[in-house]
Amino acid sequence: MHTTVQLQQILETAIKNLKFPASPQQLYDPITYIINLGGKRIRPLLVLMATELFGEDANESINAAMAVEVFHNFTLIHDDIMDNAPLRRGKATVHEKWSTNIAILSGDVMMVEANKNLAKVNSIFLKDVLDTFNATAQGVCEGQQLDMEFEERNDVSIEEYINMIRLKTAVLLGGALKLGAIIGNASEKDADLIYQFGENIGIAFQLQDDILDVYADPEKFGKQVGGDIIANKKTFLLLKAFELAEGQNLEELEVWTKLTDFSINEKVETITQIYNNLNIRNIAKETMDAYLSKALNLLNQVNVNDEAKKDLLTLTNQLMNRQY
Amino acid sequence: MHTTVQLQQILETAIKNLKFPASPQQLYDPITYIINLGGKRIRPLLVLMATELFGEDANESINAAMAVEVFHNFTLIHDDIMDNAPLRRGKATVHEKWSTNIAILSGDVMMVEANKNLAKVNSIFLKDVLDTFNATAQGVCEGQQLDMEFEERNDVSIEEYINMIRLKTAVLLGGALKLGAIIGNASEKDADLIYQFGENIGIAFQLQDDILDVYADPEKFGKQVGGDIIANKKTFLLLKAFELAEGQNLEELEVWTKLTDFSINEKVETITQIYNNLNIRNIAKETMDAYLSKALNLLNQVNVNDEAKKDLLTLTNQLMNRQY
């Protein structure tokens, strides 16, 4: 068994050892580039932690962890094209630095690289691992599709929103944990429980992101506070505000989300004030807490001793206590 | 054992039975659309034929055949975005009919669907099948990248060109045959021979395409004769012409490939005349025949009786005797 810090070291070494062909250089350079932009490596860490949760060595699932990390980075490249994003972690996105065509194709070949890593998994688990990985990858694509569709719609319900973030971000956390559990030789029941744990944690994380976008400490937050408000992003907060607002609050929401020319600070202040009027922060926090609590209840049912669950709980708490 | 016509019926039924989720509709509709645009289904047919070549029933490899067909259609969607192509088989391309974003994402989820089909393969063969499929998919991506790079270069050699078409089109034929062979329980040596057969046939097919683009019967050819000439596509013919041309031929080649405003018919006639002056058609045909002959020699070495090879030979001959 390894500590979380040790698992992170195993991951960093494995990521450093990921080898891609030297040519065509323009196809493979973006892969090295995006992977080395960093990130918290939460998803591959969850793979390893789940394997150790069930008493097997994390090195057994390192290839699955790499598959998850490479896949995740592939989705970032393609999402950035679709979202027309200029920056990723403060650096130029792949389509900006190279071209859209190269970003499409490098992404495609990353998906293949992810699958190559997956194929290295112990053949006893291979079929289960593939099924879990493919179902996860499919969910992520569906989530991105819904996210794009929601941009064009004005009738997105909270329920639809939760389902979208479940697919777009939470299933990959669930999938990562389930992959690790399968390789850790978990029972089917436990593998499903840990998957559900991950999905619920993932939804809680995204709700926390929605809250932090508005209420984070600007000194610590890595990006502009209110970015979602400026972009009219249909977050839990905005959807809930539209659901609850009446009279002047509703009128102002409608005016400000339709304006094309506005003072950024004034828009952020006004919408934040409407959120405050409607108690949106607390409602979002209660919803987030409900998913967190559901997740913890599911983890509690996993049939291993509490000691083995400690690191996963600590990680969850750390991630849920971000102030930025 | 099945006749080729029977195998084609098995394929059509399996393609009709491919089921994709109903929603999000905009994500999955393009998949049904592109797959139903038709095509000769050569690649999945090769999977089935290779399995039967080694004495196993084609139904054993139908899932691998579907994986190959879905993967191939995925590459068409993404290639069409990159090539900015408005039409595919006479119909609007996915990015034209829907949008570039949807074409990117539908393509991505098709790759997942291909992998889902692949995961259904008998688990005895799964690891080998995955390795072969992933190596093939990687080659196809590399080929597309080289193809894009060649558009920007003026120093592409014939050797580089052959390597590009090998990757872009031939490895998938080789890969399809090898997948079928693996599932047909072929020896490693035979699986490699049939792979090499497919790769060489694939190069011969592409050279034939290059020749037909200029010399096909316009009455029978599905598209404009001389399309490659109009677009300055760096085919075997153009590269060879630049290699051999001197004096006036070289001068005219350079002038016509640089013109941005020109009469289409005059350009096609002039460049075709230069090809004729330089004997390019015969040189291309000799090169094509050399790959074909190499392929047949490889097939000859496959350790099964001649009777079993008959259908594959007939198909090869049919495909190599296209006049359009």
Side-chain angles (χ1 to χ4, degrees), chain B residues 251-303:
Chain B
E251 218 169 277
E252 286 204 21
L253 264 184
E254 278 171 351
V255 167
W256 279 95
T257 51
K258 272 175 196 143
L259 280 183
T260 50
D261 184 26
F262 51 81
S263 145
I264 282 180
N265 287 344
E266 203 184 339
K267 181 172 180 180
V268 173
E269 277 165 32
T270 309
I271 303 261
T272 304
Q273 187 55 54
I274 296 170
Y275 289 168
N276 293 342
N277 298 343
L278 298 169
N279 199 28
I280 298 294
R281 183 183 187 170
N282 283 335
I283 296 171
K285 188 165 183 319
E286 278 164 20
T287 309
M288 174 185 87
D289 286 342
Y291 281 100
L292 179 59
S293 147
K294 191 176 169 197
L296 296 177
N297 183 39
L298 286 154
L299 181 60
N300 198 37
Q301 294 172 54
V302 171
N303 190 26

Side-chain angles (χ1 to χ4, degrees), chain A residues 36-259:
Chain A
N36 288 320
L37 286 185
K40 293 189 292 294
R41 317 290 190 199
I42 297 299
R43 294 159 193 80
L45 181 61
L46 291 177
V47 177
L48 303 188
M49 289 179 93
T51 299
E52 299 227 330
L53 176 67
F54 294 99
E56 298 294 327
D57 191 290
N59 288 296
E60 294 294 313
S61 61
I62 190 70
N63 290 314
M66 290 302 100
V68 165
E69 182 65 7
V70 172
F71 171 80
H72 173 60
N73 280 276
F74 142 70
T75 66
L76 298 183
I77 292 183
H78 278 195
D79 284 5
D80 284 343
I81 304 172
M82 294 182 244
D83 300 343
N84 216 353
L87 296 177
R88 162 72 57 190
R89 291 176 186 136
K91 297 276 175 67
T93 46
V94 169
H95 65 98
E96 282 286 329
K97 194 173 160 75
W98 283 272
S99 70
T100 298
N101 282 354
I102 285 183
I104 293 172
L105 200 56
S106 285
D108 291 346
V109 86
M110 277 184 93
M111 177 80 137
V112 178
E113 289 287 349
N115 282 305
K116 282 169 67 181
N117 278 285
L118 209 60
K120 293 182 200 160
V121 163
N122 187 331
S123 62
I124 314 170
F125 306 119
L126 193 52
K127 166 76 173 145
D128 269 4
V129 158
L130 291 173
D131 289 345
T132 297
F133 185 82
N134 290 332
T136 301
Q138 181 151 20
V140 173
C141 291
E142 291 180 358
Q144 170 66 7
Q145 174 64 28
L146 293 176
D147 196 17
M148 293 197 299
E149 288 180 12
F150 288 3
E151 280 177 34
E152 312 295 322
R153 283 178 48 195
N154 283 314
D155 59 349
V156 179
S157 70
I158 292 281
E159 191 185 348
E160 286 180 301
Y161 176 72
I162 297 281
N163 185 48
M164 183 277 283
I165 62 174
R166 182 184 68 80
L167 289 164
K168 183 164 172 167
T169 72
V171 298
L172 189 51
L173 303 189
L177 286 161
K178 186 170 177 182
L179 288 172
I182 290 167
I183 298 168
N185 225 349
S187 70
E188 207 181 310
K189 190 183 167 197
D190 280 343
D192 280 338
L193 284 168
I194 201 79
Y195 174 86
Q196 295 296 335
F197 162 74
E199 231 190 59
N200 283 284
I201 286 288
I203 294 169
F205 286 167
Q206 184 57 53
L207 292 174
Q208 178 179 238
D209 269 358
D210 288 2
I211 298 169
L212 284 173
D213 184 80
V214 179
Y215 294 104
D217 180 343
E219 301 280 309
K220 296 180 185 169
F221 202 48
K223 42 192 177 177
Q224 168 143 32
V225 171
D228 290 346
I229 290 178
I230 296 161
N232 285 338
K233 194 151 172 37
K234 294 188 184 75
T235 64
F236 182 91
L237 283 71
L238 185 61
L239 295 171
K240 191 48 113 181
F242 264 110
E243 193 184 301
L244 298 180
E246 293 175 339
Q248 203 194 328
N249 284 324
L250 181 57
E251 217 169 277
E252 286 204 22
L253 263 185
E254 279 171 349
V255 167
W256 278 97
T257 52
K258 272 174 195 143
L259 279 184

Side-chain angles (χ1 to χ4, degrees), chain A residues 21 24 26 28 74 78 82 101 104-105 108 111-113 115-116 119 127 134 138 141-142 144-145 149, chain B residues 21 24 26 28 74 78 82 101 104-105 108 111-113 115-116 119 127 134 138 141-142 144-145:
Chain A
Q26 293 211 78
Y28 292 109
F74 142 70
H78 278 195
M82 294 182 244
N101 282 354
I104 293 172
L105 200 56
D108 291 346
M111 177 80 137
V112 178
E113 289 287 349
N115 282 305
K116 282 169 67 181
K127 166 76 173 145
N134 290 332
Q138 181 151 20
C141 291
E142 291 180 358
Q144 170 66 7
Q145 174 64 28
E149 288 180 12
Chain B
Q26 293 213 77
Y28 292 110
F74 141 69
H78 278 195
M82 293 181 244
N101 281 355
I104 293 173
L105 200 56
D108 291 346
M111 176 79 136
V112 178
E113 290 287 348
N115 282 306
K116 280 168 68 180
K127 166 75 174 147
N134 290 332
Q138 181 151 21
C141 291
E142 292 180 358
Q144 170 67 7
Q145 174 65 28

